[in-house]
Amino acid sequence: EPEVTQTPSHQVTQMGQEVILRCVPISNHLYFYWYRQILGQKVEFLVSFYNNEISEKSEIFDDQFSVERPDGSNFTLKIRSTKLEDSAMYFCASRGGSSYEQYFGPGTRLTVT
Amino acid sequence: QKEVEQNSGPLSVPEGAIASLNCTYSDRVSQSFFWYRQYSGKSPELIMSIYSNGDKEDGRFTAQLNKASQYVSLLIRDSQPSDSATYLCAGDYGQNFVFGPGTRLSVLP
């Protein structure tokens, strides 16, 4: 069964450093998303991406964040200068064109020290 | 304001019982709702989607949607210890999902 994959599973970085989180969505899906979940809190929407551009972004997704689909399979989230409060699980999700159901990857745990 | 609310629990039910999970939403925009299961430290796993008023059944799971009351529920029949997890309700607001805080379910053997 097709699934969303994410790498790395855990990333530790120092405050102020740049990180890139990688996702491979399900192959025939057209819509891509990033969410985050701070420990013990809700899953929060960050950004949606369709047809090679951002469709919508939340207030969390400020100028420190960017997304890219560098090729036909990968979807990346970059945080330019990490802060302590960026520590969270980051989930990538994707959906096909004919369904509203979003399928989540296993997540990347980002720890900023 | 887009809000999805759930009782945080924990909800404890004995094995074999019916677990009833509830969710309310505060914005008229969402037309589609989704239930996800999240085990501790894992990602959300889609259980069911529901788009229209009424009931939708899939195996041991039944989702119910009442748009007039802005209410969504999930029933789990014949609950098993492996159903112990946090259940997330999500509303689709066009280009993103708004998640509730989740209800922690504990199924006691």
Side-chain angles (χ1 to χ4, degrees):
Chain A
E1 185 173 323
E3 57 183 21
V4 178
T5 59
Q6 291 185 244
T7 54
S9 57
H10 190 190
Q11 174 90 48
V12 181
T13 189
Q14 290 190 327
M15 198 166 50
Q17 295 297 302
E18 174 183 289
V19 295
I20 297 176
L21 310 182
R22 291 183 166 80
C23 168
V24 178
I26 294 172
S27 64
N28 61 346
H29 281 188
L30 303 175
Y31 298 82
F32 314 116
Y33 307 84
W34 283 101
Y35 293 84
R36 80 171 185 190
Q37 187 175 33
I38 295 169
L39 187 63
Q41 297 188 24
K42 291 183 191 184
V43 175
E44 299 175 289
F45 168 75
L46 294 178
V47 66
S48 59
F49 192 85
Y50 170 71
N51 199 25
N52 283 319
E53 59 182 29
I54 290 174
S55 307
E56 186 169 339
K57 57 185 181 180
S58 71
E59 293 174 352
I60 303 168
F61 194 89
D62 61 22
D63 291 345
Q64 294 301 311
F65 291 87
S66 62
V67 289
E68 193 177 37
R69 187 155 163 83
D71 54 43
S73 59
N74 290 282
F75 179 51
T76 63
L77 174 69
K78 182 193 292 186
I79 309 175
R80 285 187 188 75
S81 178
T82 50
K83 307 183 192 72
L84 294 175
E85 55 264 37
D86 293 327
S87 294
M89 282 288 285
Y90 287 80
F91 296 112
C92 174
S94 69
R95 74 168 176 96
S98 58
S99 168
Y100 297 108
E101 297 174 345
Q102 294 183 22
Y103 294 89
F104 281 69
T108 293
R109 179 173 299 283
L110 176 65
T111 302
V112 182
T113 61
Chain B
Q1 182 74 5
K2 304 169 186 173
E3 293 284 346
V4 175
E5 300 293 339
Q6 296 179 258
N7 288 328
S8 60
L11 172 66
S12 294
V13 300
E15 184 175 353
I18 295 175
S20 178
L21 304 160
N22 303 315
C23 169
T24 58
Y25 60 97
S26 61
D27 190 280
R28 60 179 168 79
V29 175
S30 181
Q31 297 296 309
S32 308
F33 295 89
F34 305 83
W35 283 99
Y36 286 82
R37 177 173 61 198
Q38 187 176 32
Y39 293 111
S40 181
K42 302 294 187 183
S43 63
E45 174 192 3
L46 181 67
I47 299 174
M48 290 192 70
S49 57
I50 186 163
Y51 304 129
S52 54
N53 277 327
D55 296 359
K56 179 181 177 184
E57 187 174 316
D58 184 0
R60 295 187 296 115
F61 300 97
T62 299
Q64 300 172 317
L65 174 59
N66 183 327
K67 292 187 180 181
S69 301
Q70 296 182 195
Y71 176 89
V72 193
S73 66
L74 179 71
L75 299 178
I76 306 174
R77 288 181 298 281
D78 189 23
S79 296
Q80 301 297 309
S82 58
D83 294 325
S84 298
T86 297
Y87 288 80
L88 310 179
C89 174
D92 182 0
Y93 288 86
Q95 295 300 327
N96 73 89
F97 280 4
V98 174
F99 281 86
T103 298
R104 192 154 50 94
L105 173 66
S106 179
V107 180
L108 307 173

